Amino acid sequence: MSFLANIDFSSTKLTTESPVVNELRLEFFSSTIKRADHEYTVQDKNAGFENKLGIVSQFHQTCFKGDRRFPYRGSEATFSTLFPHFKNESDYSDDNTYYVVDLTKVPFDEIIVPSREKAHLYCTSLLPQVRQSICDATNASMKLRFPQLSDELQKLTCRATDIRTYFPAIMLLGQQLCLTLEPNILKTLINKHQTCELVRFHDHRYCEHPEEQLLNNKSKLINAYILEQQSFVMPSLEEWMKGDTIKCHHSILKTLTILLRESGIKDANPRVFLNGLPSIVANEIAKTWLFIEDPQTSPFLHGKFSHLIQVLGLSLSDKLDKLKLEQIVTNDLWNHLFDNEVASDDTSQVEINSSVNGQKSITIFHGVADCLTGLCPDTIQRMILEKDFSRAAYNILCSNDPKRKTEFLSICGIASNSTEQLDVFLKDMCVYATVMEACMINSAYKGRHKAGHQHLPLEKISLTNFNLGTKGMDAAVCARAKQYLQKGHIVKVVVTQYLWRREDLILKRVIKDEKDIDLCLEKSRSGWKQYIGFIIEPKLKF
């Protein structure tokens, strides 16, 4: 039996009045368990950099991409420099002071609802200008492809560029999971979320792109400093998978699907993609049913459910419906709104002209696409794995600023005129975010564990890119397709040839049996630049 047998699941309104949530709130905040976010020691997977004299070696290791992997320097988020003082910087011989803000090191709650006390430290007073810059750049990029971009789609674009748009979807998903999962499962998930050992490891996403893309190549010294402190802090895969298996994947998928249908995407019934598929195939599925990525074969940070959360966030905030979704996909705008890359995106760094004490200055914000926008699936998944949403709610709860609390609740979709109720509502947001994150982490880690991975970082697995055409990936994808076939799913094979930036569909049909998969693999390997992928039809009906 679930917590509340008579729950009305058709409602997509986020509320805080529920005996289930009351019980979880008491469980969550009366617990004597230390919060892993604040008090647990982080295992550094890049350890060994510091010698006995305490001197840090700057070139001790390389990431598997071949780039230098630097030791983590803590949480320094801002620094300033005068470019003329650097050698070989003659192109920048102006009198501006350049400030660099690494948003990946700014506490997430300060990005969502900046505090007055730390605004000067993180330059958060400039964030509205940064957000407008992102919106303008994205709309301009979309208009190049689709000049007749409607006012409605332009408004939708601006909402998509703001990560705050997705908070109602995140909290609503967490609330519904609280109401549908078994009590023992919920308690186990919350316990893992709070106590699981954390690991820190190198973020090599920016190493996958030429160095000149970082900060527009204005200073290689600053680039090195930025690269030096890029890292993730996530729950240990090994520790998380200890103990009994937790099953919550189907609950996540069912909850998201029903919420999408209720919010305007009436035909939502996501297919599973194995490997990258050509746009001619993927677009038809995206605009009709939507899709998820297989967690065992997709890039680690792409996220199985990221696209569903993105679409749900926009459908709740701006009434993205089936008609608008079709318009987005038909005009080849999906990648602009839902599938950008954090490191290669045009908005990964943004410059803002400002003045400090009468002195002209330029503030360069790094990590914009990864911290401020919802345009990249990597952003959603990284924030979930690093527990940013629950940490932001908890830090706002612990603040003494009623205005910040009210604004945060408003972003989450809760209107409160009662100061006395602010902390009650915020505690509920902590519970919702924690349950959502724990379910998502469990689903992602379970998939990787089944694929044979035991630790983070995953060896030879890209964080963001599909390894199309490699023998190892083709074999893994085909083996996974056979598993789906054995479970009774309808499996369709897709073979694509990529030549000179053109996609040619070579083969698309339903698979008959496991031998048929092997034959299709042989066919894909017989042609140059041919890649194999699969579409899995859903077996569950709801």
Side-chain angles (χ1 to χ4, degrees):
M1 289 289 291
S2 64
F3 270 136
L4 198 60
N6 298 323
I7 170 135
D8 177 11
F9 209 96
S10 64
S11 172
T12 58
K13 183 180 179 182
L14 181 62
T15 64
T16 58
E17 297 179 4
S18 165
V20 179
V21 177
N22 290 340
E23 181 180 338
L24 278 177
R25 189 194 304 136
L26 290 172
E27 175 79 21
F28 187 82
F29 286 97
S30 64
S31 173
T32 57
I33 298 171
K34 294 180 181 179
R35 290 186 61 82
D37 305 350
H38 303 279
E39 301 183 35
Y40 270 74
T41 302
V42 179
Q43 276 195 357
D44 196 335
K45 292 302 181 181
N46 297 340
F49 289 88
E50 191 169 291
N51 62 23
K52 292 180 180 179
L53 298 175
I55 301 173
V56 175
S57 170
Q58 293 192 350
F59 311 111
H60 187 74
Q61 292 185 357
T62 61
C63 70
F64 80 85
K65 287 291 179 181
D67 296 88
R68 292 187 302 234
R69 176 159 59 190
F70 296 89
Y72 181 76
R73 280 197 175 185
S75 58
E76 188 168 4
T78 61
F79 58 97
S80 63
T81 181
L82 293 173
F83 276 87
H85 289 181
F86 286 129
K87 295 180 180 180
N88 303 320
E89 296 292 343
S90 57
D91 293 339
Y92 301 96
S93 57
D94 54 57
D95 295 326
N96 289 315
T97 297
Y98 286 80
Y99 294 90
V100 179
V101 181
D102 184 357
L103 289 171
T104 67
K105 296 295 170 283
V106 177
F108 193 42
D109 58 291
E110 293 290 343
I111 291 175
I112 301 304
V113 187
S115 66
R116 288 171 295 180
E117 298 81 9
K118 297 182 180 179
H120 68 285
L121 180 61
Y122 302 128
C123 303
T124 49
S125 61
L126 298 177
L127 288 183
Q129 293 174 251
V130 177
R131 290 189 173 101
Q132 188 60 50
S133 175
I134 303 167
C135 176
D136 293 343
T138 306
N139 267 323
S141 177
M142 291 175 68
K143 281 184 177 180
L144 287 175
R145 184 175 292 274
F146 184 43
Q148 295 80 32
L149 194 66
S150 67
D151 290 341
E152 282 189 334
L153 282 184
Q154 289 187 55
K155 178 183 176 184
L156 200 68
T157 300
C158 283
R159 295 289 288 171
T161 59
D162 192 340
I163 191 63
R164 296 174 298 183
T165 298
Y166 303 96
F167 269 73
I170 292 291
M171 298 304 178
L172 185 58
L173 173 59
Q175 180 201 47
Q176 296 298 326
L177 289 170
C178 286
L179 298 173
T180 55
L181 290 171
E182 297 289 341
N184 60 318
I185 292 178
L186 283 168
K187 291 177 181 179
T188 301
L189 285 168
I190 289 175
N191 182 59
K192 280 184 177 290
H193 185 281
Q194 291 183 318
T195 64
C196 184
E197 181 182 77
L198 303 175
V199 295
R200 178 186 287 123
F201 58 99
H202 178 58
D203 175 3
H204 64 68
R205 287 176 296 172
Y206 295 93
C207 300
E208 296 179 351
H209 298 276
E211 186 176 331
E212 57 266 17
Q213 290 192 22
L214 288 175
L215 304 183
N216 301 319
N217 200 29
K218 287 192 173 172
S219 171
K220 291 185 178 180
L221 293 177
I222 289 182
N223 291 347
Y225 190 96
I226 288 292
L227 286 173
E228 183 174 341
Q229 58 180 21
Q230 298 309 298
S231 65
F232 299 111
V233 178
M234 297 176 181
S236 163
L237 172 60
E238 180 182 17
E239 289 296 318
W240 188 281
M241 293 310 299
K242 288 181 179 179
D244 297 334
T245 301
I246 305 172
K247 296 181 179 180
C248 58
H249 158 76
H250 293 304
S251 295
I252 301 172
L253 181 58
K254 180 177 180 178
T255 302
L256 280 170
T257 301
I258 293 176
L259 290 176
L260 283 162
R261 291 174 184 173
E262 291 293 329
S263 63
I265 314 299
K266 299 187 180 300
D267 297 325
N269 194 17
R271 274 52 177 159
V272 180
F273 283 1
L274 291 179
N275 223 359
L277 296 179
S279 57
I280 191 173
V281 175
N283 284 352
E284 286 301 312
I285 293 173
K287 69 183 182 182
T288 307
W289 301 295
L290 296 174
F291 62 91
I292 58 178
E293 311 283 354
D294 177 70
Q296 293 189 36
T297 56
S298 61
F300 178 59
L301 279 187
H302 200 83
K304 181 171 185 175
F305 302 105
S306 299
H307 290 317
L308 300 190
I309 292 174
Q310 288 173 306
V311 173
L312 178 60
L314 290 179
S315 64
L316 289 175
S317 65
D318 272 304
K319 300 302 178 185
L320 171 67
D321 53 21
K322 180 176 171 57
L323 185 62
K324 291 178 186 173
L325 183 62
E326 287 179 355
Q327 190 178 7
I328 289 168
V329 175
T330 302
N331 290 285
D332 204 17
L333 302 177
W334 176 273
N335 284 351
H336 291 268
L337 283 178
F338 302 118
D339 235 338
N340 269 317
E341 285 189 51
V342 163
S344 64
D345 185 69
D346 292 338
T347 60
S348 57
Q349 287 87 27
V350 171
E351 296 179 18
I352 301 295
N353 293 315
S354 57
S355 177
V356 179
N357 297 325
Q359 173 78 33
K360 289 193 301 182
S361 65
I362 294 177
T363 303
I364 305 173
F365 288 86
H366 168 75
V368 170
D370 198 29
C371 299
L372 291 183
T373 83
L375 300 173
C376 312
D378 312 1
T379 301
I380 305 287
Q381 185 70 355
R382 178 197 62 77
M383 289 178 175
I384 289 172
L385 294 176
E386 293 201 299
K387 304 191 287 187
D388 280 352
F389 295 103
S390 61
R391 186 180 297 109
Y394 186 78
N395 287 345
I396 296 288
L397 172 67
C398 294
S399 72
N400 295 317
D401 189 342
K403 187 176 180 180
R404 283 189 84 201
K405 294 180 179 182
T406 302
E407 187 176 346
F408 181 80
L409 286 172
S410 177
I411 290 170
C412 293
I414 295 291
S416 174
N417 296 320
S418 170
T419 306
E420 293 75 17
Q421 291 293 311
L422 289 178
D423 285 357
V424 175
F425 291 163
L426 279 166
K427 287 180 179 180
D428 290 343
M429 298 304 109
C430 290
V431 172
Y432 297 158
T434 296
V435 169
M436 181 282 303
E437 289 169 347
C439 285
M440 291 290 190
I441 293 169
N442 188 75
S443 179
Y445 281 16
K446 188 177 178 182
R448 295 301 167 182
H449 195 259
K450 284 184 176 180
H453 300 286
Q454 304 294 327
H455 309 279
L456 292 178
L458 306 178
E459 293 298 325
K460 298 183 180 179
I461 297 293
S462 174
L463 293 171
T464 58
N465 296 329
F466 289 90
N467 298 318
L468 296 176
T470 62
K471 289 185 178 181
M473 178 54 70
D474 284 347
V477 166
C478 289
R480 187 73 176 125
K482 291 177 182 179
Q483 292 176 3
Y484 278 106
L485 199 64
Q486 292 165 3
K487 293 178 180 179
H489 289 272
I490 296 174
V491 177
K492 294 180 180 178
V493 64
V494 178
V495 177
T496 314
Q497 186 173 47
Y498 293 89
L499 291 174
W500 300 288
R501 297 186 178 182
R502 191 183 76 184
E503 300 173 338
D504 291 324
L505 186 60
I506 305 299
L507 174 68
K508 179 190 174 186
R509 63 174 174 81
V510 175
I511 287 292
K512 300 174 185 176
D513 51 35
E514 293 186 27
K515 291 182 179 180
D516 197 12
I517 293 177
D518 295 329
L519 290 173
C520 291
L521 178 59
E522 290 179 15
K523 180 176 178 61
S524 72
R525 288 177 174 173
S526 65
W528 188 53
K529 291 287 185 179
Q530 290 189 8
Y531 308 125
I532 191 168
F534 297 91
I535 304 166
I536 312 300
E537 301 281 346
K539 189 171 66 171
L540 294 176
K541 305 295 181 183
F542 43 81

